[in-house]
Amino acid sequence: MPTEVSFAEFLQTVPERRQAESAELITMMKTISGKEPVMWGPSIIGFGSQQYRYDSGREGDMPQLSFSPRKSAIAIYFSEGFEHYGTELKELGKHRSSVSCLYVNKLADIDAAVLEAMVKKSWTIANASAKPRTVEEYIAQVPANAREQFLALRSLVRSIVPDLHHVLSYGIVGYKADPKKRALVFISGIKDHVGIYPVPHDDELRKELAPHIRGKGSLWFELDGELPEDLITKVVQELT
């Protein structure tokens, strides 16, 4: 479990060489994940959080990316195992591995670019299998190419209805007037568009929305253009 201990304080307790190597790994993992480093237990520095469940029924939380600067070797954790990394392990350099842990005597022994590619793949795998539990986790999982547009849409909706509660609902972001009731409007970020749900019933407004309506209940806005703020304002006001 994550602790309140500062990772910076922890690093003061490890050898100087490990401090420098840890700084490199922290920069790499923070850049890839967009998460701040947090201590998990007494000696693991982790980024992000995901749930695990063993066949035995045991379950809990663990970091999505993590490492431990041990005296004998740096341990870098890959919770998904190494079946996805056959080529990378051949090109990595001097290392040992167990079921889900990569051991490196010193970072200078391995190819930094290969390790970075492995960590990026691990982050992708972790997020593909982990369902978001909060609005923040959902935002982190919005595809990178759609995130700017999604954040712009989110900011616009919040400016239109600042008093509504924003929550994770049905796996996307919803806005509620009453926390105990169903959300009134939903937004999402997908690889090729951002969306608003549902489509208002007003006939005149639906005519304006026609180019954006997909299926029976969703509005799509492409990523390569500016959001039609006036139109979206009408939609949100009608739904709320």
Side-chain angles (χ1 to χ4, degrees), residues 146-158 227 229:
R147 193 168 299 141
E148 181 178 355
Q149 192 83 312
F150 175 78
L151 290 174
L153 175 60
R154 177 175 178 247
S155 179
L156 176 59
V157 172
R158 294 179 75 175
L227 291 172
E229 294 188 2

Side-chain angles (χ1 to χ4, degrees), residues 71-89:
K71 183 177 180 179
S72 59
I74 300 172
I76 305 171
Y77 299 97
F78 292 80
S79 60
E80 67 276 17
F82 293 103
E83 62 177 314
H84 305 283
Y85 302 96
T87 300
E88 290 92 339
L89 290 176

Side-chain angles (χ1 to χ4, degrees), residues 16-174:
E16 188 172 337
R17 187 184 77 185
R18 290 287 186 244
Q19 292 181 30
E21 292 173 320
S22 294
E24 291 183 44
L25 290 174
I26 287 171
T27 297
M28 177 192 295
M29 292 184 177
K30 181 178 178 180
T31 299
I32 290 170
S33 68
K35 304 291 185 180
E36 294 296 326
V38 173
M39 290 301 301
W40 288 70
S43 61
I44 294 176
I45 299 175
F47 300 77
S49 176
Q50 62 184 338
Q51 290 183 311
Y52 68 84
R53 181 181 178 85
Y54 296 135
D55 293 339
S56 64
R58 179 186 173 189
E59 59 183 25
D61 295 313
M62 63 181 179
Q64 291 169 293
L65 299 178
S66 60
F67 73 95
S68 180
R70 303 176 184 177
K71 183 177 180 179
S72 59
I74 300 172
I76 305 171
Y77 299 97
F78 292 80
S79 60
E80 67 276 17
F82 293 103
E83 62 177 314
H84 305 283
Y85 302 96
T87 300
E88 290 92 339
L89 290 176
K90 291 178 182 178
E91 300 174 349
L92 181 61
K94 186 178 179 181
H95 70 277
R96 295 178 291 111
S97 62
S98 61
V99 175
S100 59
C101 191
L102 182 74
Y103 300 98
V104 178
N105 289 335
K106 54 181 184 290
L107 290 185
D109 288 341
I110 61 173
D111 188 317
V114 174
L115 177 62
E116 182 175 359
M118 292 177 67
V119 174
K120 285 181 178 178
K121 183 184 288 189
S122 183
W123 177 252
T124 298
I125 292 171
N127 282 287
S129 60
K131 294 182 179 180
R133 293 170 293 175
T134 65
V135 171
E136 290 71 24
E137 288 182 5
Y138 177 83
I139 293 171
Q141 292 188 17
V142 171
N145 65 307
R147 193 168 299 141
E148 181 178 355
Q149 192 83 312
F150 175 78
L151 290 174
L153 175 60
R154 177 175 178 247
S155 179
L156 176 59
V157 172
R158 294 179 75 175
S159 71
I160 299 167
V161 285
D163 296 329
L164 294 194
H165 305 274
H166 67 286
V167 298
L168 191 71
S169 181
Y170 296 100
I172 55 178
V173 178

